[in-house]
Amino acid sequence: MNKTIELQDLGYKDYKQTWDYQEQLFKGIVDTKIKNRREEAGLNTKNYFLFVEHPHVYTLGKSGDLSNLLLNEAQLTEKGATFYKINRGGDITYHGPGQVVGYPILDLENFFTDIHKYLRFLEEMIILTLAEYGLKAERSPGETGVWLDVGTPFARKICAMGVRASRWVTMHGFALNVNANLGYFDNIIPCGIRGKAVTSLNVELAQKTVDETEVKEKLLKHFSTLFEAEFINKKK
């Protein structure tokens, strides 16, 4: 059982390139598990945690509704954005500059085999991090991600989530709005949920910008506590 996680900060990177890289790491873990089962090789499976910031992009989960994208191809180009259908849960979401995006690629058999617990832990990591900034973030029943002022007319989403898991190996993850340009959310029905606002940490704190490196450090601290894991840094 390997509870060390290789941390990689990819910086500013194209969505498709990052997706392909995730698939490569994911496949490496799955291939090791298959070898262990076929040959009783007893090899440790690796775990990864990728931080990344994407150029403007809209992504649609496998069960999502394309009508939740409110732009045509020409309008996407005009806004400097791209669009992809991808193999995760959830509906449509936006990624762009000012978001802290995290992709844990874990063999859950190194931690626990419970995908619901995994999702709750990801949410809890966000909730605990935002509490350090004085914000009371919550889960919203029946809706993915992390929210503020749940159950009120002012409910707003601050973190989107969408994961894929196969053979207990995870990919995709979360997107926390830290210094995000919220105008880009006006071009979609975020996660297919009408009438709910989206917010960003800098807006909530009434600051021009929030230190994203500090946010990442807090996220990792809470992740390592929840998953009882140890991070190993790898340079870009």
Side-chain angles (χ1 to χ4, degrees):
M1 189 174 287
N2 175 26
K3 289 203 168 198
T4 61
I5 302 174
E6 185 178 300
L7 174 65
Q8 299 182 27
D9 193 325
L10 305 181
Y12 191 72
K13 195 172 180 69
D14 174 76
Y15 185 84
K16 183 64 167 62
Q17 288 179 344
T18 309
W19 182 8
D20 290 343
Y21 184 51
Q22 281 193 78
E23 292 275 13
Q24 177 189 323
L25 298 179
F26 179 91
K27 183 178 185 299
I29 298 171
V30 169
D31 286 351
T32 301
K33 296 184 78 161
I34 290 170
K35 185 179 178 70
N36 281 343
R37 284 178 186 162
R38 285 183 180 163
E39 304 173 18
E40 296 183 5
L43 300 171
N44 273 341
T45 50
K46 293 186 176 181
N47 306 292
Y48 304 90
F49 191 114
L50 311 180
F51 274 131
V52 68
E53 186 176 29
H54 293 305
H56 302 295
V57 61
Y58 297 100
T59 71
L60 184 71
K62 55 191 175 184
S63 58
D65 184 345
L66 186 56
S67 68
N68 289 324
L69 175 65
L70 307 178
L71 299 175
N72 60 34
E73 205 165 316
Q75 290 168 320
L76 278 170
T77 303
E78 185 185 313
K79 292 188 178 293
T82 52
F83 170 75
Y84 294 103
K85 289 184 180 178
I86 61 171
N87 59 351
R88 58 154 172 80
D91 203 283
I92 197 162
T93 194
Y94 159 78
H95 298 311
Q99 268 187 349
V100 170
V101 177
Y103 297 130
I105 305 169
L106 311 178
D107 178 6
L108 286 182
E109 288 190 302
N110 287 324
F111 302 94
F112 47 77
T113 49
D114 184 334
I115 193 65
H116 294 290
K117 181 177 178 179
Y118 172 66
L119 288 165
R120 299 297 82 77
F121 273 17
L122 287 187
E123 291 165 348
E124 191 66 18
M125 168 191 65
I126 302 293
I127 289 167
L128 291 170
T129 296
L130 293 174
E132 292 199 55
Y133 290 94
L135 297 179
K136 185 178 185 295
E138 301 172 87
R139 299 170 181 87
S140 183
E143 297 171 330
T144 60
V146 177
W147 299 71
L148 303 174
D149 287 338
V150 172
T152 78
F154 308 105
R156 55 208 182 279
K157 190 174 199 171
I158 195 166
C159 181
M161 289 190 180
V163 303
R164 173 192 170 197
S166 176
R167 296 178 185 264
W168 296 114
V169 182
T170 68
M171 63 180 288
H172 301 298
F174 67 90
L176 175 62
N177 298 331
V178 178
N179 299 302
N181 181 343
L182 298 178
Y184 275 82
F185 286 97
D186 294 338
N187 305 314
I188 59 173
I189 301 168
C191 303
I193 303 167
R194 290 182 181 274
K196 293 285 180 76
V198 178
T199 191
S200 186
L201 183 56
N202 65 323
V203 173
E204 296 297 324
L205 299 181
Q207 295 180 12
K208 187 173 181 181
T209 57
V210 174
D211 185 339
E212 292 176 31
T213 299
E214 181 184 84
V215 172
K216 290 175 184 177
E217 288 169 356
K218 292 179 188 303
L219 289 167
L220 293 174
K221 175 182 67 176
H222 294 302
F223 189 98
S224 62
T225 299
L226 289 162
F227 285 83
E228 298 176 348
E230 178 189 354
F231 283 102
I232 300 167
N233 283 284
K234 180 174 179 179
K235 300 295 182 188
K236 283 189 259 180

